[in-house]
Amino acid sequence: MTLIPSAQPGRHIQRAPRLAQLVLGLCGLWVATSPLWPAPVQAQRPDTTLWVANAPVTAITKAGNTLYMGGTFTLVYPNIGGGAALDLPTGIPASPFPRIGGIVYAVAPDGAGGWYIGGNFTSVGSLTRSHLAHVLANGTISPWNPVANGEVYSIVVSGATVYVGGAFTFVGGQTRNRIAALDATTGAAVFTWNPNANNFVYALTLNGSSLYAGGAFTSIAAQMRSGIAELVASTGAATAWNPNSIGTVRCLAISGSSMYAGGIFTNIGGQPRNRIAQLDLTTGAASAWDPNANNTVYSIVVNGSTVYAGGGFTVIGGQTRNRIAALD
């Protein structure tokens, strides 16, 4: 302990050397570890398997192998990341399935129990994957790694080819503007297949030898096509089919001789149609079918004589339906 003069005559102040060391440390001049200042603790890696709550947790206690928690939450659920495989009977996330570090926008089966996934993510499991990945049936990640430089919104698999659409301009080692055909094994872009869309491609669907694309583009495969186009699947060339959407097409579904389209458009197939329409696959003309949604339609699935639609709407088919509806 060191005695130093006080401002008052005859008095001294005791200065602790360790306290002086602490002050120096706070000033950025720390050179020695002081017993008064505990050594830093190594950062701990969070347990990603622990379930999470949808609101603040204010109390936790553990008894044996059970963790009790309380708070303002109303739901506790698995922390699964941006995508999951669900068990059909129970709806519970199936295991094993890798944790996705980001958002999954598109999923397509690989035909062997696995999945091609696309979206806005940077990792799958412990591996780096930029917007595209292939998850095998056993939950592991394949070496397939096309490395897209932007979001992927749609995936269609046909044999040895994986068609992708999105916001990217480079994928599979090649410059590809928003639409590409990739080798299902190597992930390399098919060298000559290049429709070159001038804006986002949100939807892809196959029908025989035709690949249909929907999006915000006005030009694709060197042809003026607004929002929707038919391409030759093998070459990427545009056909004469041209419904000419006035507005963005976000989703497509085929049933028999009809194409169902959803999006933000107000006119398609030569007719006023608000955000959802049925088109003839031969002529591209809109039919009399007109549910007239009052907001964006993001997804369509056809099952027999029923068309299921999802989106931001609250009225569709002349009825109040909040964001999801079944249509004749």
Side-chain angles (χ1 to χ4, degrees):
M1 192 73 69
T2 302
L3 297 179
I4 61 175
S6 168
Q8 299 179 15
R11 296 190 62 184
H12 291 78
I13 298 173
Q14 292 181 334
R15 183 180 67 185
R18 293 187 180 92
L19 182 58
Q21 290 176 345
L22 174 60
V23 173
L24 288 173
L26 294 175
C27 294
L29 300 174
W30 184 266
V31 293
T33 301
S34 168
L36 294 179
W37 191 269
V41 178
Q42 293 291 333
Q44 300 299 307
R45 185 180 298 275
D47 180 3
T48 59
T49 65
L50 186 68
W51 285 30
V52 294
N54 67 339
V57 175
T58 56
I60 300 177
T61 189
K62 183 175 180 291
N65 292 325
T66 302
L67 187 69
Y68 296 90
M69 52 189 282
T72 59
F73 55 85
T74 58
L75 184 67
V76 179
Y77 52 93
N79 187 12
I80 56 174
L86 303 180
D87 180 78
L88 282 177
T90 66
I92 295 174
S95 181
F97 195 85
R99 180 178 170 81
I100 312 298
I103 302 170
V104 175
Y105 291 123
V107 179
D110 65 2
W115 306 92
Y116 290 95
I117 61 174
N120 187 16
F121 51 80
T122 56
S123 65
V124 179
S126 61
L127 300 180
T128 299
R129 289 292 184 268
S130 295
H131 309 291
L132 281 165
H134 182 200
V135 180
L136 301 177
N138 62 3
T140 62
I141 302 100
S142 84
W144 192 81
N145 188 17
V147 188
N149 70 342
E151 292 91 339
V152 173
Y153 296 119
S154 186
I155 301 177
V156 173
V157 180
S158 178
T161 304
V162 179
Y163 298 97
V164 295
F168 54 83
T169 57
F170 188 91
V171 65
Q174 300 290 331
T175 298
R176 290 292 184 270
N177 290 318
R178 306 167 190 95
I179 185 168
L182 306 172
D183 187 287
T185 302
T186 66
V190 177
F191 186 72
T192 58
W193 201 92
N194 188 12
N196 191 37
N198 71 339
N199 210 330
F200 294 177
V201 174
Y202 288 113
L204 295 172
T205 189
L206 270 170
N207 186 43
S209 61
S210 294
L211 177 71
Y212 294 88
F217 53 83
T218 57
S219 173
I220 191 169
Q223 299 294 323
M224 300 301 294
R225 294 288 184 272
S226 181
I228 188 167
E230 179 188 27
L231 307 173
V232 179
S234 59
T235 67
T239 71
W241 192 78
N242 186 15
N244 191 37
S245 172
I246 308 303
T248 300
V249 173
R250 295 298 302 258
C251 55
L252 300 169
I254 294 174
S255 179
S257 60
S258 295
M259 165 75 76
Y260 293 90
I264 313 173
F265 53 82
T266 56
N267 191 297
I268 193 171
Q271 299 293 328
R273 292 290 182 270
N274 289 319
R275 306 168 189 90
I276 188 167
Q278 182 191 57
L279 307 171
D280 187 284
L281 277 179
T282 301
T283 66
S287 73
W289 192 83
D290 185 15
N292 190 33
N294 73 338
N295 209 326
T296 307
V297 173
Y298 290 113
S299 184
I300 295 177
V301 173
V302 183
N303 183 32
S305 61
T306 303
V307 178
Y308 296 93
F313 54 82
T314 56
V315 176
I316 190 170
Q319 302 291 326
T320 298
R321 293 291 185 273
N322 290 319
R323 304 167 190 87
I324 186 168
L327 307 167
D328 188 291

